Amino acid sequence: MYSTFIQPLTPVSLCSPGQMTDLLYTEKDLVTSLKDYIRAEESKLEQVKTWAQKLDVLSATATQDPEGFLGHPVNAFKLMKRLNTEWGELESLVLKDMSDGFISNLTIQRQHFPNDDDQTGAAKALMRLQDTYRLDTQTISTGELPGEGPMTVEDCFELGKIAYSDADYYHTELWMEQALKQLDGGEESTVDMVTILDYLSYSIYQQGELERALDYTKRLLKLDSAHQRANGNLKYFEYQLAKQKKVEAEEGLKEKEEREPADYLPERRKYEQLCRGEGIKMTPRRQSRMFCRYSDNNRHPLYVLGPVKQEDEWDRPRIIRYHDILSNSEIEKVKELAKPRLRRATVHDPQTGKLTTAHYRVSKSAWLTAYEDPVVDKINQRIEDITGLNVKTAEELQVANYGVGGQYEPHFDFGRKDEPDAFKELGTGNRIATWLIYMSDVPSGGATVFTDVGAAVWPKKGSAVFWYNLFASGEGDYSTRHAACPVLVGNKWVSNKWIHERGQEFRRRCTLDESD
């Protein structure tokens, strides 16, 4: 609803990194529990082994002269005792299930585990990163990204299968080819080559490359000549290829278009360019007019002696960064308050005016009210003191957590004329300005980009960026269309305050001049 290239996707319930941290500790506890189970089983087997060795020696001695052995009353008694009592005890030991503790722990923890949707969402995030940052499958699979481990044939195959289930044959081909490459390289796998070739040949055929599809089908049949579907495909591909060559001979060869995923549109290309740090439109001349300064916000009493560090990020629209806005302790407190409440991020539906989840916003968020903790109230007051705007009519502080692949595609923060009821339920007018705080550094990716003007703002922990969504006339500034780039490596925490029109009448006076 806010983007010109939204794809229909299946809703996913992605775990945020903040929540996934808990899953790591859960898994660590389960490994400890598993080790305890192994030790208990080993102890049980050691007891059985000791018993068997003792009886083995005893039986060997006894059977050499059975009558003479049993002629001794102690030996006779001990035989009766072993058969009547001790073998029963051994039976109980062998039948004893040492896994109860581990299974019980696993059952309790399983309710917090990710589900199929989470796994699918993580796979789609990987493919989204692959497109945005132009990463080849080899780079991802071999663990060349910072902090990443290598992927197995099974991992690559699973990604290809998820893409295939969405009829995304472009990514199916990429990941099935990577799985095949690793198999050809000698990696052992439970996934057989025939299955991979079956997926690969069909996904290539679906993209119109009949010759390559035919080659992979022939390779499959060399491994399994009785493969029913492959034999059928072989005849069909040969027939279609002959037909295609006949048409090409009649009409002349046509230049093939460069293959790209079907959702690529001009804004998408611009968005991905900016995410990679390309296509930024700040000329040296414009850059020379950008400054850093100490600001006291028109001699605000709080900032006369301790002004804030202000940096120009962009001129039109004017985007300002304020450095060292939140301390580390404040950031940790905000994250602590938000973590238990993180839910799939929502946006305003212009049709209903209500909050709803959007498939193009992949993050989790929580809303914090001013009265629940002094830190939140202090942050709200700080925003008001620095911007000079009234935050009493602003929306609550929203905290968002973007994991690897987390993004928010191009959108406007303000409601347009064709969305007259976008914020009607709030009764505070349109969103006049946006205040965005970066609460973490991001090693790679995660920029905030403005697709209309070619601007990119990179996360810096503790800093905040501010811009007006509306001109002083009240008209929307369409150059503020922006997006959150996918996080390539790291964990992105942000919080934002959407400031509304009501209460600003004497703080930002209305004018008909949009350039003011």
Side-chain angles (χ1 to χ4, degrees), residues 471-475 509-516:
F471 290 114
S473 64
E475 293 293 316
R509 294 183 178 276
C510 183
T511 174
L512 297 179
D513 183 4
E514 290 190 358
S515 64
D516 186 2

Side-chain angles (χ1 to χ4, degrees), residues 415-427:
R416 272 80 65 219
K417 289 182 178 178
D418 58 347
E419 302 167 345
D421 297 332
F423 305 108
K424 186 176 180 179
E425 62 177 24
L426 300 177

Side-chain angles (χ1 to χ4, degrees), residues 294-296 302-309:
Y294 284 104
S295 171
D296 60 12
L302 192 62
Y303 298 112
V304 170
L305 295 179
V308 292
K309 290 179 276 189

Side-chain angles (χ1 to χ4, degrees), residues 57-70 82:
V57 173
L58 183 63
S59 297
T61 303
T63 54
Q64 287 178 1
D65 181 12
E67 290 188 7
F69 180 82
L70 291 174
R82 282 199 304 274

Side-chain angles (χ1 to χ4, degrees), residues 306-375:
V308 292
K309 290 179 276 189
Q310 187 186 83
E311 179 184 358
D312 294 331
E313 285 280 355
W314 208 257
D315 52 357
R316 294 187 302 275
R318 192 177 184 213
I319 305 168
I320 300 171
R321 188 194 295 266
Y322 294 93
H323 293 272
D324 302 325
I325 292 302
L326 290 190
S327 66
N328 286 335
S329 60
E330 288 173 325
I331 287 172
E332 290 308 311
K333 185 61 181 179
V334 169
K335 287 162 65 176
E336 178 190 324
L337 293 169
K339 276 183 181 180
R341 297 186 235 170
L342 287 173
R343 298 289 182 272
R344 182 73 191 275
T346 56
V347 297
H348 273 93
D349 186 331
Q351 304 299 321
T352 64
K354 296 181 179 179
L355 289 172
T356 182
T357 58
H359 309 322
Y360 53 89
R361 183 173 190 181
V362 186
S363 66
K364 286 203 167 185
S365 64
W367 298 83
L368 303 181
T369 57
Y371 57 78
E372 61 187 288
D373 194 276
V375 167

Side-chain angles (χ1 to χ4, degrees), residues 95-146:
L95 292 175
K96 186 177 181 181
D97 190 351
M98 311 303 291
S99 66
D100 286 349
F102 171 68
I103 295 299
S104 175
N105 192 15
L106 181 61
T107 303
I108 292 169
Q109 299 294 353
R110 186 177 288 278
Q111 61 185 316
H112 305 297
F113 283 10
N115 55 30
D116 289 343
D117 286 342
D118 292 319
Q119 182 177 332
T120 300
K124 288 179 179 178
L126 259 179
M127 289 180 258
R128 187 162 55 244
L129 291 172
Q130 188 175 6
D131 293 340
T132 302
Y133 297 105
R134 291 184 175 173
L135 303 172
D136 58 55
T137 50
Q138 182 75 9
T139 299
I140 300 173
S141 181
T142 55
E144 292 178 29
L145 294 177

